[in-house]
């Protein structure tokens, strides 16, 4: 490591989310400024820094110093203190005020600011109001500097300190000192080890109750990120001991303490105790109780005696005729207050959604349509001709207060709610949805249960079907037009556990579904670049930025999203020519994805757009999300760039609920931990016109044979089975071809 010490002159760029900074710096003994880059959270121009790092050569910006760790050094001479304060690091202190302070306190000036700020009023020309302003400004600055020094002392990364500062602002030091383990609850992206080092550094014993409680809760929360609603008690203890060390008895005591305070809930399972976070238990139990109440009411809508009227309603509303099987399924769907409609691509789910809307609309029902993501909601709106919303918008999620405004006290005004892509709905969102739906309303969940489960905890759609208590209708017949698509036919083969058929046409041209076999990551990456930049646009005419999407199982590695986005950005949108502008890592012309719902901007998790402008003076990035629907341009300030990521390649999970004209799917044995049938099935069903696999046939074979997805601990199916009594007259679980 190279060590440099000197003055920070100017800050050219700073991301408040992660602390990444580009600054100009004059090292002691150097005649000229250098460029320093790295995590420099909380630094200000005028400070003296000690930095450790390495020199590197940037293709565009030349030689720069990559900072690994740093610390702020305070001056100890009157001249240095005067210069330091005059630089403007403290609000309300300029060159003249710095001169007054140093003239009065000399080399003790910073000591006075730290420990006796009330003495500022002694300085001639400084009144009480001015002294108070300087005191508060120094206090905030001192807290930031002290926090970053503390992070260095405990061996935590500067990026962790940056995230803490971003979350808590100038109160970060006080909050962390009061309760270091709150970091685990409030900032999940900061590792538990950082909070733990802070806790131990503050004097907590390894087996102290606050530490053990925090560790147990962290294990349960981390399990939720992996999809689990609860953990068996034995698993929880093992994971907690692995994280915390200490004795099993002490961890068990912490578990009992959390249970007594109702922070967690323990419930006897069939073979062992299940431990839930209280919120998770409330959601799972609440779903069961709510669905039980809705189904217990039955329905007065009897369609079995009048199939003809149903057919006429559909013909009148949609100008199409349903098959006999479709009419029967439609009738059964309408007979049930809550029902599930599932099936693979091309089996007619959309037709039945439209038919249900036509029949219920003709009868004056208030109909609402919703989906988990913005893209899925827009697609649902396109195919039905009716307004569709994201579930968060439907339930009026209040970002400032972190709650849904629609609930049991303020229910939705609806007779029929249809939720598409229901396999993406996790346990917490489903609970809040059911709380907002009147028990007298009807619910139709539509989705493909063979796809990946929700990113959040639970396997709600699958569990509801597995319970045998929710009327479920599985469409299996592929209709004639869909049967002509090799994508749809091969998706059904994969879902049956069979290898897809990669056919070559008689004239030697490739079909719309094929596999390019490559044995090493470097060749896979090269092939993907060639496909996107040359072969697909030249041979098929698709726009590589707007119509081609790379879907990969992983974020890391040579065939992960992080690396693929770098190389595809350089291949498809190189930083050359006068027209190119850059802000952070983003360039004009880049394909980007929005990462979280933003209701003020009306942009939602999973929305993909293109950077159309960068206003360099205001440091504002503009993204075009039009998708052929007229102008829909959204601006992002520098502080909001964390809501965006490059989207040349995205994860398969991130693609759920979306469709793309062309999909490229790299599959390698290095993806083995994630290779499952439902992942491959989900990825290939995102493509509408062209699906290309690139990689190893062994990896595809491994994925298709693996029909045992990673188990998610959830008890919803058993809970539904025990709570609900099926109404008479028909079986609750039905498999009906459509």
């Amino acid at each position: 490591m190279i060590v440099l010490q000197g003055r920070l002159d100017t800050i050219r760029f700073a991301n408040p989310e992660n602390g990444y900074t580009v600054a100009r710096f004059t090292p002691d003994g150097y005649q000229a400024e250098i460029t320093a880059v790295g995590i420099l959270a909380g630094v200000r121009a005028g400070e003296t820094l000690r930095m450790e790092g390495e020199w590197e050569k940037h293709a565009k910006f030349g030689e720069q110093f990559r900072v690994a760790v740093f610390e702020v050094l305070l001056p100890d001479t009157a001249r240095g203190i005067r210069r330091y304060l005059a630089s403007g690091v403290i609000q309300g202190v300029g060159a003249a005020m710095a001169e007054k302070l140093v003239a009065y306190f000399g080399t003790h000036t910073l000591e006075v600011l730290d420990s006796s700020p009330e003495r500022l009023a002694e300085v001639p020309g400084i009144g009480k109001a001015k002294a108070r302003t300087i005191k508060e400004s120094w206090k905030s600055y001192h807290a930031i500097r002290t926090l970053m020094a503390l992070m260095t002392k405990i061996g935590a990364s500067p990026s962790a300190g940056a995230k803490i500062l971003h979350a808590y602002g100038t109160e970060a030091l006080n909050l962390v000192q009061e309760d270091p383990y709150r970091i685990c609850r409030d900032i999940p992206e900061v590792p538990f080890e950082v909070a733990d080092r802070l806790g131990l550094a503050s004097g907590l014993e390894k087996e102290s109750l606050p530490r053990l409680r925090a560790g147990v809760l962290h294990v349960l929360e981390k399990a939720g990120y992996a999809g689990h609603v609860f953990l068996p008690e034995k698993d929880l203890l093992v994971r907690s001991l692995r994280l915390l060390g200490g004795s099993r008895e002490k961890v068990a005591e912490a578990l009992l303490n959390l249970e007594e305070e109702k922070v967690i809930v323990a419930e006897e399972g069939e073979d062992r105790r299940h431990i839930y976070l209280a919120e998770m238990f409330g959601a799972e139990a609440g779903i069961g109780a709510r669905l039980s109440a809705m189904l217990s009411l039955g329905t007065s809508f009897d369609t079995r005696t009048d199939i003809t009227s149903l057919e006429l309603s559909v013909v009148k509303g949609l100008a199409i005729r349903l098959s006999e099987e479709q009419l029967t399924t439609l009738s059964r769907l309408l007979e049930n207050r809550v029902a599930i409609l599932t099936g693979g691509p091309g089996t007619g789910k959309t037709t039945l959604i439209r038919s249900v809307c036509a029949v219920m609309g003709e009868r004056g029902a208030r109909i609402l349509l919703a989906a988990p993501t913005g893209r899925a909601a827009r697609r649902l709106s396109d195919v039905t001709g009716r307004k569709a919303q994201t579930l968060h918008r439907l339930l009026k999620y209040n970002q400032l207060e972190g709650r849904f405004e629609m609930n049991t006290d303020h229910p939705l005004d609806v007779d029929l709610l249809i939720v598409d892509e229901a396999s993406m709905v996790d346990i917490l969102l489903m609970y809040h949805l059911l709380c907002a739906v009147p028990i007298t309303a009807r619910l139709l969940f539509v989705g493909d249960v063979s796809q990946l489960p929700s990113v959040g905890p639970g396997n709600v759609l699958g569990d509801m079907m597995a319970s045998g208590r929710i009327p479920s209708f599985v469409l299996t017949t592929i209709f004639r037009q869909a049967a002509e698509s090799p994508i749809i036919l091969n998706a059904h083969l994969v879902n049956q556990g069979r290898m897809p058929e990669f056919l070559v046409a008689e004239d030697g041209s490739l079909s719309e579904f094929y596999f390019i076999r490559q044995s090493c990551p470097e060749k896979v990456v090269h092939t993907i670049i060639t496909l996107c930049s040359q072969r697909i646009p030249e041979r098929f005419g698709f726009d590589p930025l707007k119509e081609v999407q790379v879907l990969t199982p992983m974020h890391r590695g040579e065939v992960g999203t992080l690396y693929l986005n770098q190389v595809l950005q350089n291949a498809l949108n190189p930083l050359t020519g006068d027209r190119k502008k850059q802000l952070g890592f983003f360039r004009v012309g880049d394909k980007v994805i929005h990462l979280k719902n933003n209701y003020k901007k009306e942009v939602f998790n999973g929305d993909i757009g293109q950077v159309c402008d960068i206003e360099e003076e205001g440091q504002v990035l503009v993204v075009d999300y039009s998708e052929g629907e007229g102008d829909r341009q959204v601006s992002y300030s520098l502080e909001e760039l964390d809501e965006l990521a490059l989207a040349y390649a995205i994860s398969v999970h991130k693609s759920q609920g979306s469709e793309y004209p062309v999909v490229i799917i790299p599959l390698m044995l290095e993806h083995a931990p994630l290779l499952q049938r439902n992942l491959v099935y989900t990825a290939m069903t995102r493509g509408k016109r062209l699906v290309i696999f690139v990689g190893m046939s062994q990896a595809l074979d491994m994925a298709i044979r693996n029909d045992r997805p990673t188990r998610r601990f959830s008890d919803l199916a058993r809970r539904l089975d025990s709570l609900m009594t099926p109404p008479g007259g028909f079986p609750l679980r039905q498999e009906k071809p459509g």
Side-chain angles (χ1 to χ4, degrees), residues 571-590:
L572 300 177
N573 190 33
L575 193 61
T576 56
D578 295 336
R579 69 180 185 86
K580 290 295 180 188
K581 290 184 285 186
Q582 186 165 1
L583 181 60
F585 300 105
F586 300 108
R587 307 168 183 172
V588 170
D590 271 341

Side-chain angles (χ1 to χ4, degrees), residues 292-300 337 439-440:
S292 178
M294 293 182 75
L295 281 175
S296 68
L297 296 179
T299 175
S300 60
R337 188 167 298 281
I439 62 172
T440 55

Side-chain angles (χ1 to χ4, degrees), residues 340 422-423 449 453 458-468 716-717 733:
I340 296 171
S423 63
V449 77
N459 184 23
V460 181
L461 186 66
D463 285 349
M464 288 196 300
M465 291 185 65
S467 73
L716 181 60
R733 178 169 177 83

Side-chain angles (χ1 to χ4, degrees), residues 393-657:
R393 178 175 285 279
L394 177 74
L395 299 178
K396 296 184 179 178
Y397 183 67
N398 186 321
Q399 281 185 307
L400 292 177
E401 299 181 15
R403 64 179 181 86
F404 294 100
E405 295 182 358
M406 307 307 293
N407 48 46
T408 50
D409 295 326
H410 300 92
L412 296 165
D413 183 20
V414 63
D415 296 313
L416 168 66
L417 172 62
I418 299 177
V419 180
D420 197 15
E421 297 289 352
S423 63
M424 298 176 63
V425 183
D426 64 35
I427 196 89
L428 294 172
L429 183 54
M430 181 63 76
Y431 170 67
H432 288 293
L433 174 66
L434 291 177
C435 285
V437 175
I439 62 172
T440 55
R442 297 170 180 278
L443 265 173
L444 175 58
F445 297 108
V446 183
D448 189 344
V449 77
S450 298
Q451 291 185 21
L452 289 168
S454 58
V455 175
N459 184 23
V460 181
L461 186 66
D463 285 349
M464 288 196 300
M465 291 185 65
S467 73
R469 297 302 191 183
I470 310 295
S472 303
F473 303 88
V474 183
L475 303 177
T476 57
T477 301
I478 306 175
F479 286 93
R480 183 178 58 82
Q481 185 175 1
E484 296 174 0
S485 166
I487 297 174
I488 290 176
L489 288 175
N490 280 299
H492 285 271
L493 287 178
V494 167
N495 202 26
Q496 295 163 14
R498 298 161 60 188
M499 283 291 286
E501 298 177 0
F502 301 104
L503 301 176
V504 178
E506 292 183 2
D507 62 0
S509 63
L510 293 167
S511 73
E512 59 192 82
F513 185 88
Y514 62 99
F515 197 123
I516 300 177
R517 290 169 176 79
Q518 298 289 3
S519 59
C520 67
E522 294 84 356
K523 291 184 178 179
V524 170
V525 172
H526 177 74
T527 300
I528 290 173
I529 293 172
T530 304
L531 284 169
C532 292
S533 61
Q534 300 174 31
R535 293 178 62 183
I536 290 175
E538 292 172 4
R539 189 165 188 172
F540 298 99
F542 291 111
D543 184 329
L545 288 175
K546 296 181 179 179
E547 297 178 296
V548 180
Q549 186 60 59
V550 178
L551 303 179
T552 181
M554 300 180 71
H555 290 294
R556 302 190 179 192
E558 286 188 73
V559 198
T561 59
L562 299 176
Y563 183 67
L564 284 173
N565 272 314
Q566 291 179 29
V567 296
L568 287 170
Q569 181 190 44
N570 290 328
L572 300 177
N573 190 33
L575 193 61
T576 56
D578 295 336
R579 69 180 185 86
K580 290 295 180 188
K581 290 184 285 186
Q582 186 165 1
L583 181 60
F585 300 105
F586 300 108
R587 307 168 183 172
V588 170
D590 271 341
K591 183 178 184 178
V592 294
I593 185 170
H594 190 86
L595 299 175
K596 53 187 176 183
N597 294 332
N598 187 320
Y599 298 96
K600 288 184 179 179
K601 296 181 183 295
E602 295 192 343
V603 190
F604 304 100
N605 184 10
D607 282 356
I608 290 179
Q610 191 170 7
V611 179
C612 59
D613 192 18
I614 292 175
E615 302 167 7
E616 290 183 340
E617 289 186 6
Q619 292 191 310
V620 173
L621 180 142
V622 183
V623 179
D624 185 357
Y625 291 103
S626 300
E627 294 186 1
E629 302 172 356
D631 290 340
R632 195 165 79 93
Q633 296 184 352
V634 178
S635 297
Y636 295 81
S637 66
L638 186 65
E639 291 76 16
E640 295 171 321
L641 292 185
D642 61 296
E643 296 185 21
L644 292 174
L646 293 175
Y648 299 97
I650 63 175
S651 68
V652 179
H653 273 96
K654 214 54 168 167
S655 74
Q656 286 179 269

Side-chain angles (χ1 to χ4, degrees), residues 18-19 38-41 67-70 148 151-152 156-163:
N18 57 23
I39 307 300
L40 293 166
V67 181
V69 294
F70 77 97
M148 295 309 296
M151 299 301 288
T152 301
S157 69
S159 63
K163 290 182 174 69

